[in-house]
Amino acid sequence: MKKLVIAYSGGLDTSYCAVSLSKEYEVHAVSVNTGGFSKDEIKNIESNAYTMGVTAYKNIDAIATFYQKVVKYLIFGNVLKNNSYPLSVSAERIIQAIEIVEYAKSIGAAYIAHGSTGAGNDQVRFDMIFQTLAPDIKIITPIRDQQLTRQEEIEYLKSEGIHMSWEKSKYSVNKGLWGTSVGGVETLKSEKPLPSEAYPSQLKKEGEEKVTLTFKNGEFVAFNGIKNLPEINIEKLNDVAADYAIGRDLHVGDTIVGTKGRVGFEAAAAIITIKAHHLLEKHTLTKWQLQHKEYLSSFYGMHLHEGQYLDPVMRDTEAFLQSSQKMVSGNVTVSLKPYHFSLDGIISDHDLMSSNFSTYGEENKAWNAEEAKGFIKILGNQNKIYQQVNS
């Protein structure tokens, strides 16, 4: 039997794939932890995988990889798709796909499978990564190819002696380092919000709490004065901010396959980190750096969302984003409150507001009144010429 690696989450779709494919292949189930999994949850996924008849199960810890290869640049770029969504799930899928295909190559697998349907974004992300990094490995997608309904999958598993509770929970939750997505009946249409109880984190704290995020060259290197790896600081910030039920929103976007999609999300650490980082940049970068970063970051986020991570333009953009962070160092103070937060201010050795040139709207020390008048006169030349010629 030829080796087949399956991207295994433990849900209904991948369980169906594992059981059916085990009849023809030596199935190696792989799950990739990009945050959000507890040790007990990983053990449960492993146990279920063997129940489905797989030959082997592997869990890959990719939290640090996820941060270094993707999240870091999403912070550098202050990436929020459609000005709201921090690309929580789409960013994860890229790293999960890369880790899975690399594992398949390492064990000499001839086939690789995933449980995506033909209706969403994940099929594109997985297929593009798999076929780019391992063109000789054949991709198998039973759910997409057979156009199976959820009930058909359940009936098949029952016929194979797999009697587990496959009742679909009211809300579908996908938790990771960079946020949690929440889908439900309300997100299938346009008019209703998700109810508060649909979100994983509920309000536990009242009042106000101040926290400090420390950045060095754009990276989140300390939380409340305690240094740690950025990915750990993100987790610690999320633990604190989640008690205030911060970071909830609904994202409406365009899928890769051309339809509109709507999903709820909860991403306290991601939103706070991006907003705090952006505030520090506003103090430490020039206006042209900020302007060019904005559109390049938008392209970066869009290409990542659409599965184009392996295109070399992404490495080019990352080089620009990395270079832009040389002076982005300092502390940002944030006030956490129920359901929201506010940015208080920054302290940085590179704060351009601290220059001796001038105080905005108050005084200047670098030019006099006549020089100001001459500057303004020349600055207005283009407008004056246009009006004179065309009036």
Side-chain angles (χ1 to χ4, degrees):
M1 297 178 76
K2 291 187 177 181
K3 289 181 181 179
L4 176 146
V5 166
I6 181 172
Y8 185 76
S9 68
L12 176 60
D13 293 335
T14 55
S15 294
Y16 173 90
C17 294
V19 173
S20 60
L21 293 172
S22 292
K23 297 182 181 301
E24 299 181 52
Y25 305 96
E26 179 186 303
V27 176
H28 295 251
V30 180
S31 59
V32 181
N33 182 9
T34 47
F37 286 105
S38 68
K39 290 182 180 179
D40 287 342
E41 287 171 330
I42 292 171
K43 286 181 180 179
N44 187 53
I45 293 171
E46 180 177 13
S47 175
N48 287 346
Y50 285 115
T51 299
M52 302 305 150
V54 305
T55 300
Y57 171 79
K58 172 77 171 179
N59 179 267
I60 299 173
D61 187 335
I63 297 175
T65 302
F66 180 38
Y67 170 77
Q68 288 295 336
K69 289 190 174 182
V70 176
V71 173
K72 177 170 68 174
Y73 298 105
L74 295 178
I75 297 172
F76 289 172
N78 310 308
V79 176
L80 292 172
K81 194 170 190 297
N82 289 0
N83 296 315
S84 62
Y85 181 49
L87 297 181
S88 306
V89 176
S90 48
E92 287 182 1
R93 293 292 184 259
I94 299 302
I95 295 303
Q96 289 166 352
I98 292 172
E99 292 290 338
I100 288 166
V101 75
E102 291 298 336
Y103 181 77
K105 289 161 65 176
S106 74
I107 66 169
Y111 303 89
I112 193 166
H114 61 83
S116 299
T117 70
N121 289 326
D122 285 346
Q123 59 173 332
V124 181
R125 296 170 185 136
F126 281 123
D127 279 18
M128 286 185 67
I129 296 293
F130 293 164
Q131 67 190 21
T132 301
L133 293 181
D136 295 330
I137 296 180
K138 185 177 179 181
I139 302 169
I140 298 177
T141 55
I143 309 301
R144 177 173 62 184
D145 295 343
Q146 298 171 41
Q147 297 184 323
L148 295 168
T149 66
R150 187 176 182 83
Q151 192 57 43
E152 286 172 336
E153 294 174 51
I154 292 172
E155 292 303 321
Y156 173 80
L157 290 172
K158 286 181 178 178
S159 72
E160 293 294 320
I162 308 295
H163 296 284
M164 299 178 70
S165 176
W166 298 113
E167 288 184 19
K168 191 173 183 179
S169 61
K170 190 173 181 181
Y171 295 100
S172 174
V173 177
N174 185 95
K175 187 177 181 182
L177 175 70
W178 205 230
T180 300
S181 67
V182 184
V185 65
E186 295 88 354
T187 60
L188 298 178
K189 294 185 178 181
S190 306
E191 67 272 17
K192 293 182 179 179
L194 282 169
S196 179
E197 60 268 21
Y199 293 94
S201 299
Q202 297 297 305
L203 182 65
K204 296 179 182 178
K205 289 185 177 181
E206 297 288 348
E208 181 176 308
E209 179 178 351
K210 291 188 182 296
V211 296
T212 301
L213 285 65
T214 301
F215 294 90
K216 183 176 181 181
N217 304 128
E219 294 200 62
F220 183 9
V221 296
F223 177 54
N224 284 339
I226 300 174
K227 293 182 180 179
N228 221 319
L229 294 171
E231 57 268 30
I232 293 176
N233 291 327
I234 291 167
E235 290 175 338
K236 289 183 178 297
L237 170 59
N238 200 70
D239 289 341
V240 174
D243 286 346
Y244 290 92
I246 290 171
R248 297 176 174 186
D249 204 348
L250 279 164
H251 167 60
V252 181
D254 296 287
T255 67
I256 306 169
V257 294
T259 59
K260 291 284 185 182
R262 189 172 185 246
V263 67
F265 66 90
E266 175 187 283
I271 300 297
I272 293 169
T273 302
I274 285 173
K275 292 297 185 180
H277 174 266
H278 192 204
L279 176 63
L280 185 59
E281 281 194 329
K282 286 190 247 184
H283 282 263
T284 57
L285 299 185
T286 69
K287 69 176 180 180
W288 300 123
Q289 284 181 299
L290 289 167
Q291 183 186 52
H292 292 294
K293 271 189 82 263
E294 188 169 333
Y295 67 79
L296 284 173
S297 297
S298 178
F299 279 120
Y300 186 84
M302 178 60 77
H303 294 329
L304 182 71
H305 173 76
E306 302 225 344
Q308 299 287 351
Y309 178 78
L310 295 177
D311 191 289
V313 73
M314 297 294 277
R315 309 292 82 77
D316 299 336
T317 309
E318 288 166 357
F320 170 84
L321 292 173
Q322 183 84 55
S323 176
S324 73
Q325 300 301 295
K326 290 177 182 177
M327 301 303 171
V328 186
S329 299
N331 295 330
V332 183
T333 305
V334 181
S335 292
L336 308 180
K337 308 161 190 177
Y339 303 110
H340 71 293
F341 65 94
S342 58
L343 303 173
D344 297 341
I346 70 106
I347 297 174
S348 172
D349 291 339
H350 307 287
D351 185 0
L352 299 181
M353 279 192 71
S354 63
S355 76
N356 291 322
F357 273 70
S358 67
T359 301
Y360 177 70
E362 296 289 337
E363 61 176 346
N364 72 76
K365 300 176 182 177
W367 59 86
N368 58 38
E370 291 305 313
E371 289 168 334
K373 292 175 185 178
F375 164 74
I376 298 166
K377 185 174 182 178
I378 294 173
L379 184 66
N381 269 343
Q382 185 87 98
N383 285 337
K384 287 181 283 187
I385 293 168
Y386 180 89
Q387 293 298 327
Q388 187 183 73
V389 169
N390 295 296
S391 295

